[in-house]
Amino acid sequence: NAGVTQTPKFQVLKTGQSMTLQCAQDMNHEYMSWYRQDPGMGLRLIHYSVGAGITDQGEVPNGYNVSRSTTEDFPLRLLSAAPSQTSVYFCASQGGYTGELFFGEGSRLTVL
Amino acid sequence: EDKVVQSPLSLVVHEGDTVTLNCSYEVTNFRSLLWYKQEKKAPTFLFMLTSSGIEKKSGRLSSILDKKELFSILNITATQTGDSAVYLCAGSKAAGNKLTFGGGTRVLVKP
């Protein structure tokens, strides 16, 4: 089973560039979310979606956009990358409320 | 604003030692407290605690929740080098699936 698939795994950007982190899940989960992880700060919620066509902001949404056109896909867009967005990004999904988030393997982004 | 705080930030133990990790939370409309283990990549689920005072166990790991004092502990007994990881706790709300994570405790188990 593929589970949650994120691409790319690594990316280096220059300040001001834009890019999209892709996330796809094959578990038919309604809930999907994006987190960023910085040293000593745990995981912070960027955006989340409770189903196709529905998205909402998390704790740190500024500088990021999301959309949810299908149940499977939840891309995260950086509109104009800044060095403060250097981080490891995790996409996660959850089916119903089991407490268990299924995470992708992470995408390490460096903004120069 | 919801907040989850973990302590200690890090610790180093030797194989066979017992480890106790702490997690305190302030989450409005709190539902559950969750523990995850993160080794090199993505976090993996350990426990979900919803009721106060009921211990959950999985092998050498156990956890308990105190909803009056707003904290949870995770115990690891007879530690092994494979227990070396960052342990994350997270609080969830009664409505929706949003989790608020703590900063994690890094555990290093030396042979």
Side-chain angles (χ1 to χ4, degrees):
Chain A
N1 288 338
V4 178
T5 304
Q6 282 182 240
T7 56
K9 288 188 169 46
F10 301 94
Q11 182 73 49
V12 178
L13 291 177
K14 294 181 179 178
T15 297
Q17 288 184 315
S18 62
M19 77 156 298
T20 299
L21 298 175
Q22 301 291 345
C23 177
Q25 52 93 6
D26 62 359
M27 297 173 282
N28 203 33
H29 286 169
E30 291 295 329
Y31 181 83
M32 295 185 74
S33 53
W34 277 102
Y35 288 86
R36 59 177 290 173
Q37 187 172 35
D38 302 296
M41 300 190 73
L43 292 157
R44 292 184 292 169
L45 182 64
I46 304 171
H47 285 285
Y48 66 98
S49 168
V50 297
I54 306 169
T55 64
D56 206 347
Q57 297 181 350
E59 184 184 351
V60 287
N62 292 341
Y64 308 94
N65 273 359
V66 292
S67 59
R68 185 93 180 272
S69 55
T70 67
T71 299
E72 294 77 21
D73 299 300
F74 191 45
L76 178 72
R77 296 182 187 85
L78 281 71
L79 307 172
S80 178
S84 61
Q85 294 178 303
T86 293
S87 189
V88 179
Y89 292 85
F90 287 99
C91 178
S93 74
Q94 187 178 75
Y97 190 77
T98 63
E100 183 173 4
L101 282 175
F102 291 83
F103 285 89
E105 292 200 341
S107 300
R108 183 175 293 275
L109 175 67
T110 301
V111 182
L112 303 175
Chain B
E1 184 180 327
D2 297 335
K3 189 167 66 171
V4 176
V5 178
Q6 292 185 246
S7 63
L9 288 178
S10 65
L11 70 162
V12 180
V13 299
H14 288 93
E15 277 191 315
D17 288 349
T18 294
V19 163
T20 298
L21 309 181
N22 304 297
C23 175
S24 65
Y25 64 91
E26 295 175 24
V27 176
T28 55
N29 299 316
F30 173 82
R31 169 160 53 182
S32 301
L33 193 290
L34 299 101
W35 285 95
Y36 287 81
K37 177 183 182 182
Q38 185 176 24
E39 296 176 85
K40 293 185 178 178
K41 291 186 177 177
T44 54
F45 176 74
L46 294 175
F47 297 111
M48 181 175 73
L49 303 149
T50 304
S51 301
S52 202
I54 299 175
E55 185 181 55
K56 287 208 170 182
K57 293 195 74 168
S58 176
R60 296 175 293 101
L61 276 66
S62 63
S63 184
I64 197 162
L65 175 67
D66 185 328
K67 293 172 77 172
K68 182 180 176 185
E69 300 297 330
L70 307 183
F71 77 90
S72 175
I73 61 172
L74 175 69
N75 281 318
I76 310 173
T77 59
T79 52
Q80 303 171 355
T81 56
D83 295 326
S84 296
V86 174
Y87 290 84
L88 298 163
C89 71
S92 76
K93 297 169 111 42
N97 303 69
K98 292 168 60 177
L99 300 183
T100 300
F101 281 86
T105 294
R106 183 175 296 276
V107 175
L108 176 61
V109 181
K110 291 188 171 182

